Amino acid sequence: MAETLTVDTGPAGRETQDGKRPRSVRVVLLALMITMMLAMLDNMIIGTAMPTIVGELGGLEHLSWVVTSYTLATAASTPLWGKLGDMYGRKGVFMASIVLFLIGSALSGMAQDMGQLIGFRAVQGLGAGGLMVGVMAIIGDLIPPRERGKYQGMMAGVMALAMIGGPLVGGTITDHWGWRWAFYINLPLGVVALAAISVVLHLPRKRSQARIDYLGAGLLTVGITAIVLVTTWGGTEYAWDSAMIMELVAIGVVALVGFVFWQTKAAEPVVPLHIFRSRNFTLMSVIGFITGFVMFGATLFLPLYQQSVQGASATNSGLLLLPMLGAMLVTSMVAGRVTTNTGRYKLFPVVGSALMVVGLYLLSTMDTGTSRFTSGVFMAVVGLGMGCLMQITMLVAQNSVEMKDMGVASSSTTLFRTLGSSFGVAVMGALFNNRVQDVMSERAGSLGAKVTEQSAQLDAASLAKLPEAAREAYQHAVSSGTHSAFLLGAVVAVLSLVTAVFVKEVPLKGTGPEAKPAE
């Protein structure tokens, strides 16, 4: 039986007589959006500040770990936060994750060397694992699925704002206040969100007598860590067929198989396997993985293409994604409104997946002569597809489980998207790097191979120093590399389209006489 969740002015899922939600619910939603922005904005800001950080702290050889430690901690802790919220109450667990994130942010800003920064970023990542899950699960508690589509535009807007504004904000903060403020900026925003949630949000307290599944948590952490390290190190730090990568693959497989087996035996499993009995939940997990794969690959290679081939400024790299992110925002709002008004949603995964396939194929046709307008149109097609998928996957996944499993459903869906992004960046990156190096060797001989022997991605300063012939060869190489990466993305997106066809349109729980319990 679903629990009654209230805020100061009454039941959270109830609207006032004028059709508007109580002010306290809107305040909570604003605080949740601020928290969601903290989770998404952090890596975007830090990416811009990294050259300055390395210049002050040194440790260039450990640079990748500043991002990897955060990503690992976030991915590994995501399922745990979701389960803890289900067991002990959403509000307290969510506030604890915010506090941990803010502690990690403050410590990262005070780091005196690269080792400290890596460690403190891991603390920050542990907190970040609970931010997005907490936001999604609390919205799942407060807003019935039938009405949740109204808020898709708000969530998509936060995502777009973080992706566009992150690099610009990061550059501005680093230039005027110093890189430490790239971390400190989280503190006032986090305190505002924390205060609003503490005062206005009232959810029933829970106290589970069950013990935390420490063995399951440990096996899942080891498995996820091994997977993320394989996708991070493979083809860069170590060759794909090296002993280190093979060992990590073996450890990951054994840990995850052991985890699945143990979840069938545990009294209070971290990820209850019965949620995967719902066909829609399983299908949404697959679609979420593919969306993460495509989205983060696209946001990585599109600015690189426009800077290297089309001569765009690196300073405005976030703005270069406006056609894709703007289209994603508009479509997400339309999809949310239609879903709310009709209660129907199957059309959006199908159409969204089809648009992603078409858009990625169009992006794969770009060459050195493609204009910015044309590439912008191609990006917009991809954005339209992503807008149909980004929030619908979470909505349908939450609609497919009981209220008591809302946390693990939200965390599992978020985890699949996170793992998809790790695989997308790794696989598309490896394909891109290999293609760039091959084309450079073909067009510029030994000079081309020497130019890209350290990295297939050159910054603006390095590109400007190249001889004309080598620069032209590099532009062709990047064009060829993005062709291969986006073509792979299109092929993977076909799997999303096939998956979406099998989604069963179960009526959304919530208002309306046609609303029935989800299967």
Side-chain angles (χ1 to χ4, degrees):
M1 182 175 178
E3 51 196 308
T4 301
L5 302 170
T6 62
V7 290
D8 282 346
T9 51
R14 184 183 300 163
E15 295 187 351
T16 57
Q17 291 182 351
D18 61 359
K20 296 182 179 179
R21 291 203 168 274
R23 179 179 297 177
S24 55
V25 177
R26 297 200 297 270
V27 172
V28 169
L29 288 171
L30 178 61
L32 292 177
M33 292 306 104
I34 292 174
T35 310
M36 184 176 175
M37 178 168 284
L38 285 176
M40 296 204 62
L41 200 60
D42 195 72
N43 266 339
M44 299 289 179
I45 291 180
I46 301 310
T48 313
M50 283 312 299
T52 306
I53 294 174
V54 171
E56 181 174 327
L57 299 183
L60 178 62
E61 67 277 12
H62 303 304
L63 175 64
S64 63
W65 273 104
V66 175
V67 175
T68 302
S69 63
Y70 179 92
T71 305
L72 277 175
T74 300
S77 64
T78 293
L80 303 183
W81 286 113
K83 185 61 180 179
L84 289 172
D86 286 341
M87 291 175 64
Y88 299 111
R90 211 84 68 204
K91 178 179 176 179
V93 171
F94 182 51
M95 291 177 66
S97 71
I98 296 175
V99 170
L100 186 58
F101 179 82
L102 296 181
I103 290 172
S105 298
L107 291 174
S108 296
M110 294 186 285
Q112 299 302 308
D113 57 50
M114 191 61 80
Q116 289 183 10
L117 181 60
I118 291 169
F120 295 150
R121 282 281 283 168
V123 174
Q124 193 184 25
L126 288 173
L131 298 186
M132 189 71 76
V133 172
V135 169
M136 295 300 182
I138 290 174
I139 288 178
D141 283 346
L142 291 176
I143 313 295
R146 178 64 188 268
E147 299 177 28
R148 211 171 295 154
K150 295 178 183 178
Y151 302 94
Q152 285 184 320
M154 188 187 301
M155 290 185 279
V158 169
M159 291 181 178
L161 187 60
M163 290 181 178
I164 295 170
L168 298 176
V169 172
T172 302
I173 290 175
T174 303
D175 289 342
H176 294 88
W177 297 350
W179 66 266
R180 296 182 186 276
W181 277 96
F183 296 104
Y184 292 150
I185 195 68
N186 294 329
L187 302 181
L189 292 173
V191 168
V192 169
L194 203 58
I197 290 167
S198 175
V199 173
V200 181
L201 179 63
H202 297 286
L203 302 177
R205 295 184 178 181
K206 302 177 184 177
R207 176 56 63 180
S208 174
Q209 299 301 316
R211 296 180 60 187
I212 298 174
D213 179 15
Y214 291 107
L215 177 57
L219 288 170
L220 182 61
T221 300
V222 171
I224 291 174
T225 299
I227 289 173
V228 174
L229 286 178
V230 167
T231 57
T232 303
W233 285 349
T236 53
E237 299 288 330
Y238 301 94
W240 285 105
D241 59 352
S242 66
M244 174 63 79
I245 297 299
M246 292 298 102
E247 288 170 6
L248 285 172
V249 169
I251 291 171
V253 170
V254 171
L256 291 179
V257 169
F259 169 75
V260 172
F261 173 76
W262 177 247
Q263 293 308 279
T264 64
K265 307 294 184 184
E268 194 67 43
V270 177
V271 179
L273 299 184
H274 67 80
I275 62 176
F276 291 97
R277 293 174 189 162
S278 166
R279 181 171 76 182
N280 276 3
F281 181 84
T282 302
L283 294 176
M284 287 302 120
S285 297
V286 174
I287 293 174
F289 179 93
I290 295 169
T291 303
F293 187 105
V294 169
M295 181 176 180
F296 284 88
T299 54
L300 174 66
F301 294 110
L302 281 170
L304 179 63
Y305 168 83
Q306 293 192 307
Q307 290 171 39
S308 300
V309 179
Q310 296 181 327
S313 168
T315 306
N316 298 322
S317 57
L319 296 176
L320 300 175
L321 298 175
L322 264 176
M324 182 176 74
L325 298 174
M328 184 178 80
L329 173 59
V330 171
T331 315
S332 185
M333 294 177 67
V334 172
R337 182 59 62 180
V338 171
T339 301
T340 298
N341 292 339
T342 67
R344 299 186 175 277
Y345 52 79
K346 179 174 180 176
L347 175 69
F348 296 110
V350 174
V351 172
S353 299
L355 285 170
M356 276 208 311
V357 173
V358 173
L360 287 164
Y361 174 75
L362 291 174
L363 288 176
S364 75
T365 64
M366 296 189 304
D367 54 28
T368 54
T370 304
S371 68
R372 291 191 192 181
F373 175 79
T374 301
S375 60
V377 172
F378 295 168
M379 281 190 281
V381 176
V382 176
L384 291 173
M386 288 182 181
C388 291
L389 296 172
M390 288 299 293
Q391 304 306 327
I392 286 288
T393 51
M394 181 64 72
L395 187 155
V396 177
Q398 291 179 336
N399 189 62
S400 303
V401 301
E402 297 178 31
M403 185 67 77
K404 66 183 179 66
D405 292 322
M406 186 68 70
V408 291
S410 302
S411 63
S412 298
T413 306
T414 303
L415 176 63
F416 277 108
R417 187 177 296 175
T418 301
L419 293 178
S421 68
S422 295
F423 275 89
V425 170
V427 177
M428 293 172 77
L431 196 62
F432 171 85
N433 291 341
N434 290 336
R435 190 61 189 148
V436 168
Q437 289 170 351
D438 288 346
V439 173
M440 286 295 284
S441 297
E442 293 170 6
R443 286 182 167 268
S446 59
L447 174 61
K450 185 176 181 180
V451 166
T452 57
E453 65 182 355
Q454 296 298 322
S455 174
Q457 301 179 29
L458 303 181
D459 57 28
S462 301
L463 197 58
K465 294 177 182 177
L466 293 179
E468 181 66 30
R471 190 183 309 120
E472 185 178 331
Y474 183 70
Q475 290 174 339
H476 281 281
V478 169
S479 177
S480 181
T482 52
H483 164 77
S484 299
F486 288 130
L487 196 58
L488 172 65
V491 172
V492 172
V494 170
L495 177 59
S496 177
L497 178 58
V498 173
T499 303
V501 170
F502 292 96
V503 172
K504 183 179 181 181
E505 195 151 50
V506 178
L508 294 174
K509 305 174 204 173
T511 60
E514 72 285 342
K516 301 175 183 177
E519 291 183 355

